[in-house]
Amino acid sequence: MFQTIHFLYNFSTNSLDPHVDSSYVPLRAGITETLIRLDEENLSIEPWLAESWDGEDGQNWTIKLREDVKFQNGKQMDAESVKKSLERALKENVAIQNALKIDTISADGFTHTIKTTEPFPEFISELVNPNAAIIDVSEEDFVNKPVGTGPFKLASFTPGSKLELERFDDYWDGASKLDSVTFAFNEDANARTLALKSGQTDIVYRPEVESLDSLKEDSKMKVESTETFRVHQLTMNMQREEMKDINVRKALDALIDRQKIVDKILLGHAETARGPFLPSLAFAPTYDKRETGSDEAVKHLEKAGYTLKDGKMQKDGKQLIMSMKMLLTRLCYIHQQSLLTTKIKWKTGLRLRANTT
């Protein structure tokens, strides 16, 4: 019996080049793999296309590859083909250059010798980056048909719309039970939910938050949710003169009602953040308890030299005005901005301008 599934994802892409694609669709769709991957349950790294590694001094590394891996065009994956793939990633992606800090790579059979530009104990963990995925670079249509080592090979790609995938029978970790997969895109959460309810798709990634309760009540649906590493955050522009004052930054921080965002916007499907890292991570720092609220924000602004006059927070006769930019495709961000803007305007007298991209 022919088995296929339809998967609907929340970000679209016009390129499948795994070395530069920021949506990581080639890896998510099962086309590509990396040398190392993350064990999400234990929050540790583990071998994937690599079999083992050693780098006692943190700068000179030896990586041994699996010897049973084929690319989806039938070619054997060896150290030379992996070397060429990594070299292309370094050439095409400055972020990968900065992340891996590779100086030299040599290949011998199924073994790599890599030297980094400096002692870099974190090197191996950086290889989990999806932009360091391994592809056969002799196949030159990287944008439309990358050839990787994953369980599914690409049959067709419609930019911005969907991928059609076929099972790769010679997959090194055992062929999939599925014959094919349609990996489609729709950035509208409501549309994704409707597609799931109408049976147009089998699996939806990130349905509309407001629909989760009704989906759970439907006996034909199964809703799975898990903690992730994703953190919703405001990044402050330290180049702006007013933001250089720590008291202004503290004031803005004090105005963010994290619990209200969790309860009213994300409908309980989140936890309040104390910093950018999950507390369960071994390297996560501890944070002192901070006072929040509009009164606390006003105190910080007064320390920065601002006074409330005629309903406006001013310094040297100039009102404090901030601009916020967010992604239009992230509706929850718009709601958060609306909540924050209202609180700022009516409670502190400073002005916030919001822009979307």
Side-chain angles (χ1 to χ4, degrees):
M1 181 178 177
F2 189 83
Q3 296 189 57
T4 185
I5 62 168
H6 293 260
F7 179 83
L8 194 53
Y9 188 55
N10 63 325
F11 282 132
S12 65
T13 184
N14 291 310
S15 168
L16 294 181
D17 186 339
H19 294 154
V20 297
D21 174 42
S22 60
S23 64
Y24 308 147
V25 166
L27 187 138
R28 295 178 191 272
I31 300 171
T32 62
E33 297 168 314
T34 51
L35 295 175
I36 311 296
R37 66 180 172 185
L38 179 69
D39 179 346
E40 295 186 4
E41 290 188 6
N42 298 311
L43 299 179
S44 60
I45 57 173
E46 62 181 13
W48 204 0
L49 294 178
E51 191 174 76
S52 62
W53 59 85
D54 179 67
E56 290 187 5
D57 66 356
Q59 187 167 11
N60 295 282
W61 297 86
T62 300
I63 300 177
K64 189 176 186 310
L65 303 176
R66 299 186 62 92
E67 298 185 16
D68 56 351
V69 180
K70 290 183 179 180
F71 289 107
Q72 292 143 357
N73 55 11
K75 295 181 181 179
Q76 176 82 44
M77 185 199 78
D78 59 12
E80 185 61 31
S81 58
V82 171
K83 175 178 180 286
K84 290 178 179 178
S85 181
L86 289 174
E87 287 174 340
R88 181 180 183 274
L90 293 168
K91 177 183 177 182
E92 298 293 329
N93 193 325
V94 174
I96 289 295
Q97 292 178 28
N98 295 333
L100 300 184
K101 304 182 190 297
I102 291 177
D103 183 19
T104 61
I105 310 175
S106 62
D108 181 16
F110 291 91
T111 301
H112 280 125
T113 302
I114 297 177
K115 182 179 181 180
T116 54
T117 57
E118 60 187 54
F120 186 36
E122 303 91 345
F123 169 68
I124 288 295
S125 64
E126 292 293 337
L127 291 172
V128 305
N129 191 314
N131 289 143
I134 305 305
I135 58 173
D136 182 0
V137 298
S138 69
E139 301 281 353
E140 297 183 352
D141 192 358
F142 309 115
V143 171
N144 296 298
K145 198 167 185 179
V147 175
T149 61
F152 292 97
K153 57 184 179 181
L154 186 64
S156 67
F157 171 49
T158 305
S161 179
K162 65 179 179 178
L163 294 73
E164 296 291 350
L165 304 160
E166 297 175 350
R167 179 177 60 211
F168 177 38
D169 290 329
D170 290 331
Y171 179 54
W172 64 271
D173 201 22
S176 171
K177 295 180 181 180
L178 294 171
D179 296 282
S180 67
V181 175
T182 297
F183 192 109
F185 313 122
N186 194 316
E187 296 184 349
D188 186 326
N190 183 55
R192 292 196 300 274
T193 301
L194 292 175
L196 182 64
K197 288 183 175 180
S198 66
Q200 296 176 36
T201 191
D202 301 303
I203 302 173
V204 163
Y205 179 68
R206 296 186 69 177
E208 189 179 34
V209 174
E210 290 83 358
S211 70
L212 290 176
D213 288 340
S214 64
L215 289 174
K216 289 178 180 178
E217 293 172 359
D218 190 331
S219 61
K220 301 192 295 279
M221 302 289 180
K222 181 179 179 181
V223 177
E224 293 185 350
S225 61
T226 183
E227 290 183 352
T228 72
F229 298 119
R230 180 176 294 279
V231 177
H232 289 204
Q233 64 185 33
L234 274 176
T235 303
M236 301 183 189
N237 184 0
M238 299 289 287
Q239 301 302 312
R240 294 180 68 104
E241 194 61 36
E242 60 270 21
M243 298 305 293
K244 293 178 181 179
D245 192 319
I246 190 172
N247 289 299
V248 175
R249 302 197 301 272
K250 285 183 176 180
L252 185 56
D253 180 76
L255 288 167
I256 301 173
D257 191 332
R258 293 163 175 81
Q259 192 59 54
K260 184 172 286 188
I261 291 173
V262 168
D263 296 338
K264 301 296 185 181
I265 298 172
L266 299 174
L267 303 181
H269 298 283
E271 295 183 9
T272 57
R274 296 291 299 277
F277 304 112
L278 291 176
S280 58
L281 294 172
F283 55 80
T286 56
Y287 298 94
D288 295 331
K289 188 178 185 306
R290 297 191 296 267
E291 297 297 326
T292 60
S294 55
D295 291 340
E296 188 69 18
V298 169
K299 290 179 184 177
H300 288 305
L301 290 173
E302 288 175 344
K303 289 180 182 179
Y306 290 87
T307 56
L308 189 61
K309 184 178 180 181
D310 299 327
K312 299 177 181 179
M313 192 60 71
Q314 302 180 38
K315 183 177 182 180
D316 299 328
K318 183 180 179 182
Q319 184 181 12
L320 178 57
I321 300 175
M322 298 181 182
S323 297
M324 182 187 295
K325 183 171 287 189
M326 68 214 73
L327 292 173
L328 185 59
T329 53
R330 298 286 182 88
L331 186 58
C332 62
Y333 291 174
I334 310 298
H335 293 326
Q336 291 173 28
Q337 171 269 318
S338 178
L339 183 153
L340 184 58
T341 301
T342 300
K343 189 169 186 177
I344 286 176
K345 181 178 180 180
W346 296 109
K347 299 290 186 179
T348 65
L350 68 88
R351 182 180 170 195
L352 181 68
R353 292 188 301 220
N355 302 301
T356 57
T357 57

